[in-house]
Amino acid sequence: MGKIRMVALAALCAVGFSVPASAQQFVNILTGGTSGVYYPLGVALSKIYGDKIPNVRTSVQATKASVENLVLLQQGRGEIAFALGDSVKSAWAGDAEAGFKAKLDKLRGIAAIYPNYIQLVATKESGIKTLADLKGKSLSVGAPKSGTELNSRAILTAAGLTYKDLGKVEYLPFAESVDLMKNRQLDATLQSAGLGVASIRDLSASMEINVVSIPKETVEKVGAPFIATTIPANTYKGQSEDVPTAAVVNFLVSHSGVSDDLAYQMTKDLFESLPELASAHSAGREIKLENALKGMPIPLHPGAERYYKEKGLIK
């Protein structure tokens, strides 16, 4: 019996020592709508993390994007998320008008990634060529309280417009907006995303469109974190010229409950897998290590900070 007890004890010890070594980690990646840019990049990250981080189980969650993602992170219902810079800034400040009832104090930064271009697109037959032309027309401004919708409010306000000036306001994700435009039930959509977003590519392949200019002076009225930029000619079918617009940087964000080691590994694998991200979406080509800390509106996660110190970005 004594020998049996010793064997049983040895087996229990073996199990006890093996569990921490093989304990599975979970990484839920919060993205956006499946027709946007966050989702394909999130799917690519999921594969990267699943392949490179030992004992990790990854999942990709489609959401309403920035605002919802940040709220879910605060609740510990995700490990890493995509979000627009102005939304991150508002979340840290607890801006109720932006959809944050209190300061989201658990948020921690991982990296600045690529700029979101504010892409205002109208059907050619609507006659919309300028921001002023939106008066009396129907516009989809993005899902309610999403990062895109916050961008829409900011741009319209700077142009001297409110939702009341529009003929109709739709609060729809990218793909649903495009479906309405194809059916002649919507004049225009504002989409805040990386260049070459699938929904607008789909629209431009189906019908003639106008990519509407957002002038530099309008962008300057909005102010930081928006910057004036250009949508290059031929980004979309039928767009033969460069179009002035605004951009705001996207961030990958985590929270204080994620371990330093996991945050370090997620940051390291992000920047060591840029070709895979570029293959997933053209926006991935704009992710650069040298820009990782630019404009970070919240404290860095200590795990990410360790990686940047190793790479010499933080002394």
Side-chain angles (χ1 to χ4, degrees), residues 66-315:
S66 299
V67 176
E68 182 180 7
N69 289 352
L70 296 168
V71 171
L72 289 172
L73 282 180
Q74 178 75 11
Q75 297 169 349
R77 295 168 61 189
E79 282 63 51
I80 191 166
F82 292 81
L84 277 165
D86 57 335
S87 297
V88 179
K89 184 178 179 181
S90 296
W92 188 251
D95 184 346
E97 287 189 8
F100 305 104
K101 296 178 181 177
K103 176 176 179 172
L104 304 191
D105 58 353
K106 295 180 182 178
L107 300 181
R108 297 294 183 268
I110 294 294
I113 42 176
Y114 66 91
N116 252 29
Y117 289 74
I118 311 304
Q119 299 168 79
L120 179 54
V121 179
T123 63
K124 193 149 194 173
E125 64 187 37
S126 72
I128 298 170
K129 296 180 180 178
T130 68
L131 287 168
D133 293 336
L134 288 170
K135 286 185 178 180
K137 303 291 186 178
S138 56
L139 172 69
S140 177
V141 295
K145 297 294 185 182
S146 64
T148 291
E149 203 248 316
L150 296 181
N151 290 172
S152 297
R153 287 178 183 272
I155 294 298
L156 290 175
T157 300
L161 298 168
T162 69
Y163 286 174
K164 291 180 180 179
D165 294 314
L166 304 175
K168 186 178 183 182
V169 179
E170 296 282 4
Y171 298 87
L172 296 171
F174 297 171
E176 286 88 336
S177 301
V178 164
D179 286 342
L180 284 184
M181 291 176 76
K182 287 180 182 177
N183 293 327
R184 271 66 178 181
Q185 296 175 289
L186 181 70
D187 295 316
T189 176
L190 187 148
Q191 303 196 1
S192 180
L195 288 178
V197 63
S199 53
I200 301 178
R201 286 205 319 269
D202 175 35
L203 180 66
S204 67
S206 303
M207 64 192 309
E208 289 187 293
I209 63 168
N210 290 330
V211 182
V212 181
S213 170
I214 300 175
K216 183 178 180 181
E217 53 269 27
T218 301
V219 182
E220 289 173 346
K221 285 181 183 177
V222 182
F226 291 82
I227 58 170
T229 188
T230 300
I231 301 172
N234 302 311
T235 298
Y236 300 106
K237 185 177 179 181
Q239 180 215 338
S240 58
E241 298 179 352
D242 292 350
V243 178
T245 194
V248 60
V249 174
N250 286 286
F251 290 84
L252 280 171
V253 183
S254 187
H255 63 83
S256 56
V258 170
S259 73
D260 291 359
D261 286 344
L262 180 56
Y264 169 85
Q265 199 66 44
M266 289 194 298
T267 310
K268 180 175 184 287
D269 291 339
L270 163 71
F271 287 106
E272 290 185 355
S273 307
L274 294 181
E276 290 95 317
L277 293 170
S279 295
H281 195 281
S282 57
R285 298 180 203 137
E286 300 187 61
I287 304 173
K288 295 178 174 62
L289 177 59
E290 58 265 31
N291 296 332
L293 300 176
K294 288 185 178 178
M296 180 64 70
I298 55 175
L300 270 180
H301 195 293
E305 184 176 357
R306 190 207 321 171
Y307 175 74
Y308 295 130
K309 284 180 177 178
E310 285 181 2
K311 302 305 287 186
L313 268 69
I314 298 176
K315 304 300 180 185

